[in-house]
Amino acid sequence: MSAALPTLLDQIVIVTGGGRGIGLEISKAMKAAGAKLVIAEAEEAVGQAAALELEGMFIQTDVTDSSSVSSMVAAVVASHGRIDCIVNNAGICRNTPSEDVTDEEWRLVLSVDLDGVFYCCREAGKQMLRQGYGAIVNIGSMSGVISNHPQPQAAYNAAKAGVIHLTKSLAGEWASRGLRVNCISPGYIGTPMTKLGFENPVWREAWLSSTPMGRMGEPSEIASVAVFLASSASSFMTGSNVVVDGGYTSW
Ligand code: NDP
């Protein structure tokens, strides 16, 4: 079997948090590769705008609510009949010293960044298992491999480490039934999530001086990898954690 170049012609691709930041660039890249898009976003205005621009479908979804996720998956299957790929991109970050993190903040971060990824994998996975094929792409972080500095973000780092290991666990369970589950772990990427940190001169200096390439990444530099992992160009990959970080974790 020979690997193919990336194309997603007429494939049904869901992107959670697909209306802004990295998710929006992933949505654009999936569309450019030929996919039929579903944007599963919490904020209606953001999701609607992206769906309109990219001629996709918007389904309001809160990934922390498993019934919202299962309704979203059911709606996609009702209108398209199948799911070829889901990109679990929705995520949040909080920068709080660990001794000051409240129970509520800990649970909020874990519920979006880890519970949400699991609910989406499980609900889309059920449909993919019925089909006998499907690609799941989880957006982890290099924060699941190293702990960032100087900003404190233990809950985020713990959740992202969980996403990487969840990916490997599901890949092993589902490989024999036709599913591939992979993870992308970005380094620092210029989005609304990192805007405030990048404007802080101490953080910016630490981030850039720890990155061999000396710059932040563009969301499109994550999106191209997501298309690759969604497509049959990565047909022999499952359980992989693809780190895309300008070299950060190599130092
Ligand atoms: P943004 O803050 O720009 O976007 C986050 C997205 O997640 C938004 O679309 C947001 O939707 C969505 N979202 C948040 N909570 C929920 C929820 N409960 N249900 C559904 N959607 C939700 O972040 P980025 O684009 O920077 O991050 C995207 C992913 O990449 C995240 O998983 C993040 O952890 C990861 N990442 C980012 C890095 C970076 O440097 N930027 C580095 C490493 C990983 P809404 O608009 O509705 O709020």
Side-chain angles (χ1 to χ4, degrees):
M1 181 179 175
S2 61
L5 291 173
T7 171
L8 298 171
L9 191 61
D10 291 335
Q11 298 212 0
I12 311 303
V13 176
I14 302 168
V15 183
T16 72
R20 66 181 162 94
I22 292 171
L24 178 59
E25 286 306 313
I26 292 174
S27 298
K28 288 179 182 172
M30 295 291 179
K31 166 83 180 168
K36 292 184 174 156
L37 264 186
V38 179
I39 294 172
E41 174 96 19
E43 263 192 48
E44 187 170 0
V46 175
Q48 286 282 22
L52 195 66
E53 180 191 340
L54 299 172
E55 298 169 323
M57 179 186 203
F58 164 66
I59 304 178
Q60 189 166 23
T61 311
D62 177 359
V63 298
T64 69
D65 175 356
S66 63
S67 62
S68 173
V69 172
S70 65
S71 304
M72 179 272 288
V73 166
V76 176
V77 175
S79 65
H80 293 294
R82 65 182 205 279
I83 300 169
D84 294 292
C85 174
I86 184 166
V87 182
N88 295 316
N89 161 81
I92 60 168
C93 187
R94 295 289 182 273
N95 297 122
T96 308
S98 290
E99 63 274 24
D100 298 328
V101 171
T102 61
D103 295 0
E104 290 70 27
E105 184 175 302
W106 174 266
R107 287 198 195 97
L108 174 67
V109 173
L110 270 287
S111 70
V112 178
D113 291 355
L114 186 55
D115 297 357
V117 173
F118 176 68
Y119 295 152
C120 290
C121 286
R122 184 183 65 193
E123 296 308 313
K126 285 180 199 168
Q127 171 62 26
M128 291 174 175
L129 289 168
R130 279 193 288 273
Q131 299 166 181
Y133 61 85
I136 296 176
V137 180
N138 293 327
I139 305 300
S141 172
M142 69 173 181
S143 313
V145 180
I146 50 90
S147 65
N148 308 62
H149 69 98
Q151 74 276 25
Q153 49 180 52
Y156 181 85
N157 297 349
K160 292 299 186 176
V163 169
I164 294 167
H165 211 59
L166 174 66
T167 300
K168 293 175 192 290
S169 306
L170 297 178
E173 276 192 54
W174 292 343
S176 64
R177 288 184 277 167
L179 274 60
R180 295 187 303 111
V181 189
N182 290 294
C183 184
I184 302 173
S185 284
Y188 290 113
I189 309 295
T191 69
M193 181 182 276
T194 47
K195 187 172 183 301
L196 277 181
F198 195 65
E199 286 167 1
N200 176 327
V202 176
W203 291 19
R204 183 172 62 234
E205 161 60 17
W207 294 1
L208 296 184
S209 64
S210 300
T211 305
M213 290 180 79
R215 65 173 176 89
M216 291 178 72
E218 299 289 333
S220 61
E221 294 176 295
I222 303 304
S224 53
V225 181
V227 170
F228 168 69
L229 290 176
S231 80
S232 59
S234 58
S235 55
F236 196 50
M237 289 178 71
T238 199
S240 292
N241 178 36
V242 183
V243 181
V244 184
D245 65 353
Y248 190 103
T249 54
S250 68
W251 267 353

